[in-house]
Amino acid sequence: MMGGPGPRRTSDLDRLWVRRPYRYMRMAPHASFCIKMTHAEASAYIGMACVPNGKDRVRTPHADGKVRLRRSVKTRRGRHRKKVGGPGPDHSRTAPGHLPLRAEIDAAVKLLLALKVEYKNATGEDYKPGSPPTSDAPITYNGLPATSDESDFVDPWTVQTGSAKGVDYDKLIVRFGSSKIDKDLIDRIERVTGNKAHHFLRRGTFFSHRDMHQILDAVEKKQPFYLYTGRGPSSDSMHVGHLVPFIFTKWLQDVFNVPLVVQMTDDEKYLWKDLTLEKAYQYTIENAKDIIACGFDVNKTFIFSDLEYMGMSSGFYKNVVRVQKHVTFNQVKGIFGFTDSDCIGKISFPAIQAAPSFSSSFPQIFNGRKDIQCLIPCAIDQDPYFRMTRDVAPRINYLKPALLHSTFFPALQGAQTKMSASDANSSIFLTDTPKQIKNKINKHAFSGGKDTIEDHRKYGGNCEVDVCYMYLTFFLEDDEKLEKIKQDYTSGALLTGELKKILIETLQPIIATHQERRKGLTEEAVKQFMTPRKLAFDF
């Protein structure tokens, strides 16, 4: 027959076909792609329920609105159809009852894939047709299982609690899957180091860990490790709560005599905050001065800016790329709660925070060695980053980092309120004068005392919600004095005003000493800490 083809009739490629077991393949007209769907997905796609007990049958719509049942049979020479119902009228590609075109198919498949991801994020399981989620499947939000009372929410950017006592850390240990720092671990740290445990350990300020016993095993075997902590420079002044991880890290460095790397995530703050790159880097320098003023040894400590060091160290960037390759977009969305509207810089940032966990990121310090384990002291809200890191590490032939988790430092107005650099009265800042410290504590510190002196003497105060007592647990090193204060305040012998006075007299000299150390730092001293170099260790 000469001439062009006649009117095109609906072909097998225009229909939805069944491939046992429970697999469908749909091919669009004139298209070189195909889409595989499960039995249930195919049913949802064509908008009709599958025939009960007919695993290889499907209802096929026709132009006359009737439904014909068709069975696909695969033979050695290909497929042919066995008609179960009567034949429907032929219809062309433009007939009203025709299946969707390519654009509609693409949209439907994207929706199905998104629903499967949402299902996994909600249940922790892959979707399986006909299999409901198990009753004990963890429900997650931003990578964290939801609690029954939903009073606490913790992620790297937000900490919320419905209790005046603060976050329930025992529940958080269970939700995060970490291990509690118990008396046996504290006793072992004292035996290995030959030093009394820091009061942050004794009082539960650092309350949770991952693989700390491995670090102690390494020390006993004379194997090296190093410390890694960090700071996100969001303002030019740090508050007293920011000192907590650095005070403890300084103690760890002293008792174990190990190298320390401090990551300044100015790139993160540029991505999350309304800051210019120049302002973010300026905050890095100012915050680095506060960190150095904690007393770190320049021969054992390297402080680096992400914006600066990333371009200097191929080892660091290579590890960033290694991590990026092994973490999918769906995984970071599930862990950190990113959405499709977040910039790609946020999505890729977790790999940057992960990279310092590997010794090969610092070839100038570790001489290119890849087998030196890392210990990370940090607040527990940073744990999602390092759960991801620990998951990736074995797949790129690195050691998993160990972690020590601290509790959160409360705002002056109480554990339920948010501490903010934009609210000068929400905390005590390292730039505050003695008078400002006194006024802030007297006017804004949340009290656990009673409304009247008579009631307080009779019923006593509540140390579990009193911010002044909470602050003393961080900064008053004398255990006996702290216990005496607790007993007196609980019994009513110590009044709220007297407790505030004790805190004022404790914090004023600490901050004054810090300010004196910071004032003595020169730009050259800061530059020395931040220059990539060999430290006082041989590897």
Side-chain angles (χ1 to χ4, degrees):
M1 178 178 176
M2 304 296 292
R8 182 178 175 277
R9 297 171 65 85
T10 302
S11 72
D12 293 348
L13 295 182
D14 293 323
R15 302 196 185 282
L16 196 63
W17 285 90
V18 182
R19 177 182 291 178
R20 290 190 179 191
Y22 303 154
R23 299 301 296 179
Y24 290 77
M25 180 173 288
R26 170 71 165 86
M27 295 192 69
H30 311 297
S32 60
F33 70 96
C34 63
I35 304 157
K36 291 184 178 179
M37 293 180 278
T38 64
H39 185 70
E41 289 167 347
S43 303
Y45 171 70
I46 64 174
M48 300 180 182
C50 291
V51 180
N53 301 321
K55 297 178 182 177
D56 59 349
R57 287 179 290 171
V58 65
R59 291 172 176 165
T60 307
H62 285 265
D64 61 359
K66 296 181 180 180
V67 172
R68 308 292 192 272
L69 299 182
R70 302 186 183 275
R71 182 185 300 273
S72 70
V73 181
K74 187 171 183 180
T75 67
R76 294 179 63 183
R77 298 179 61 83
R79 292 197 188 115
H80 65 272
R81 289 178 300 184
K82 177 181 179 182
K83 297 182 180 180
V84 181
D90 292 334
H91 53 280
S92 68
R93 186 168 176 258
T94 58
H98 194 274
L99 290 177
L101 300 179
R102 176 170 181 167
E104 294 170 311
I105 294 171
D106 288 344
V109 171
K110 287 179 181 178
L111 176 60
L112 287 171
L113 293 174
L115 289 172
K116 291 176 77 171
V117 171
E118 186 175 335
Y119 179 93
K120 183 169 184 178
N121 289 339
T123 66
E125 302 176 5
D126 290 323
Y127 170 70
K128 296 179 181 178
S131 300
T134 58
S135 58
D136 59 349
I139 306 301
T140 63
Y141 181 74
N142 280 14
L144 307 182
T147 57
S148 57
D149 56 9
E150 297 183 352
S151 59
D152 293 347
F153 177 81
V154 176
D155 73 6
W157 307 279
T158 306
V159 177
Q160 296 175 345
T161 178
S163 171
K165 298 178 182 179
V167 173
D168 187 327
Y169 293 105
D170 287 333
K171 287 184 179 179
L172 209 57
I173 287 174
V174 174
R175 290 165 58 192
F176 277 38
S178 57
S179 301
K180 188 172 184 177
I181 295 178
D182 55 17
K183 187 177 184 303
D184 289 341
L185 179 58
I186 294 173
D187 290 344
R188 188 181 179 198
I189 291 173
E190 290 184 338
R191 289 196 305 271
V192 171
T193 63
N195 289 271
K196 184 178 180 180
H198 195 278
H199 67 275
F200 285 170
L201 284 172
R202 301 194 306 269
R203 297 173 188 172
T205 301
F206 277 80
F207 69 100
S208 168
H209 76 98
R210 296 186 189 276
D211 291 345
M212 185 60 192
H213 283 290
Q214 287 187 12
I215 296 294
L216 297 176
D217 290 343
V219 174
E220 290 175 337
K221 296 174 183 177
K222 308 299 182 184
Q223 295 173 350
F225 76 94
Y226 71 101
L227 294 166
Y228 157 40
T229 192
R231 162 80 183 130
S234 56
S235 67
D236 58 358
S237 178
M238 293 164 58
H239 58 66
V240 287
H242 291 140
L243 288 181
V244 171
F246 294 106
I247 291 172
F248 187 61
T249 300
K250 172 67 167 58
W251 179 81
L252 289 171
Q253 185 183 50
D254 289 344
V255 298
F256 286 108
N257 189 31
V258 292
L260 164 67
V261 295
V262 181
Q263 182 183 43
M264 307 297 288
T265 57
D266 38 16
D267 53 343
E268 176 201 17
K269 294 308 173 184
Y270 170 72
L271 293 168
W272 263 267
K273 303 284 186 179
D274 185 20
L275 296 174
T276 64
L277 285 171
E278 292 74 22
K279 181 62 72 174
Y281 184 73
Q282 178 187 336
Y283 289 165
T284 285
I285 301 301
E286 295 303 312
N287 286 190
K289 293 177 182 178
D290 281 319
I291 294 169
I292 295 168
C294 291
F296 290 106
D297 186 342
V298 68
N299 295 313
K300 301 178 182 180
T301 307
F302 173 47
I303 302 174
F304 66 97
S305 152
D306 281 346
L307 291 175
E308 203 172 48
Y309 187 62
M310 182 85 80
M312 294 182 181
S313 174
S314 62
F316 184 88
Y317 183 64
K318 285 176 182 177
N319 283 335
V320 170
V321 174
R322 287 186 180 104
V323 175
Q324 288 173 339
K325 182 174 181 178
H326 288 81
V327 181
T328 68
F329 179 44
N330 285 337
Q331 285 176 318
V332 293
K333 285 203 299 185
I335 296 169
F336 301 102
F338 296 144
T339 66
D340 292 342
S341 61
D342 283 313
C343 70
I344 60 175
K346 291 183 179 181
I347 295 160
S348 63
F349 174 75
I352 298 174
Q353 185 156 326
S357 305
F358 310 125
S359 58
S360 58
S361 295
F362 307 99
Q364 70 279 6
I365 299 175
F366 302 107
N367 197 27
R369 286 183 60 176
K370 302 178 181 180
D371 59 342
I372 301 175
Q373 192 169 12
C374 174
L375 173 62
I376 306 171
C378 63
I380 197 167
D381 61 333
Q382 299 299 301
D383 189 68
Y385 283 110
F386 301 114
R387 290 205 303 274
M388 180 201 76
T389 306
R390 286 168 56 85
D391 178 67
V392 170
R395 291 186 278 153
I396 56 178
N397 298 317
Y398 287 148
L399 296 173
K400 293 182 179 181
L403 288 99
L404 291 169
H405 299 130
S406 75
T407 58
F408 301 115
F409 195 81
L412 271 176
Q413 290 83 356
Q416 291 171 292
T417 60
K418 184 179 185 297
M419 201 180 314
S420 172
S422 60
D423 182 1
N425 295 319
S426 66
S427 188
I428 306 298
F429 287 83
L430 300 180
T431 54
D432 286 347
T433 64
K435 183 178 180 180
Q436 286 175 318
I437 295 170
K438 180 179 179 180
N439 289 339
K440 284 184 179 183
I441 292 173
N442 283 331
K443 292 181 180 180
H444 301 289
F446 184 82
S447 172
K450 299 299 183 285
D451 293 336
T452 65
I453 293 178
E454 292 77 14
D455 284 347
H456 187 86
R457 294 291 190 197
K458 183 177 180 180
Y459 301 108
N462 185 355
C463 288
E464 291 184 330
V465 300
D466 193 285
V467 168
C468 290
Y469 179 78
M470 292 180 187
Y471 277 31
L472 286 172
T473 63
F474 286 92
F475 295 108
L476 183 62
E477 295 188 20
D478 190 324
D479 289 340
E480 293 182 1
K481 186 175 181 180
L482 183 67
E483 181 60 28
K484 181 70 164 54
I485 290 170
K486 182 178 182 179
Q487 291 177 357
D488 289 348
Y489 192 64
T490 303
S491 68
L494 186 69
L495 298 176
T496 296
E498 295 170 331
L499 179 60
K500 289 186 174 183
K501 182 181 179 183
I502 294 172
L503 178 61
I504 292 167
E505 292 174 349
T506 301
L507 283 182
Q508 282 178 336
I510 291 175
I511 294 177
T513 301
H514 181 89
Q515 290 172 348
E516 283 299 315
R517 287 177 178 170
R518 192 184 193 281
K519 190 183 299 182
L521 289 172
T522 64
E523 296 298 324
E524 184 61 32
V526 176
K527 184 178 179 181
Q528 189 176 358
F529 270 93
M530 299 185 70
T531 300
R533 66 202 185 282
K534 182 182 181 300
L535 300 181
F537 302 91
D538 293 320
F539 294 98

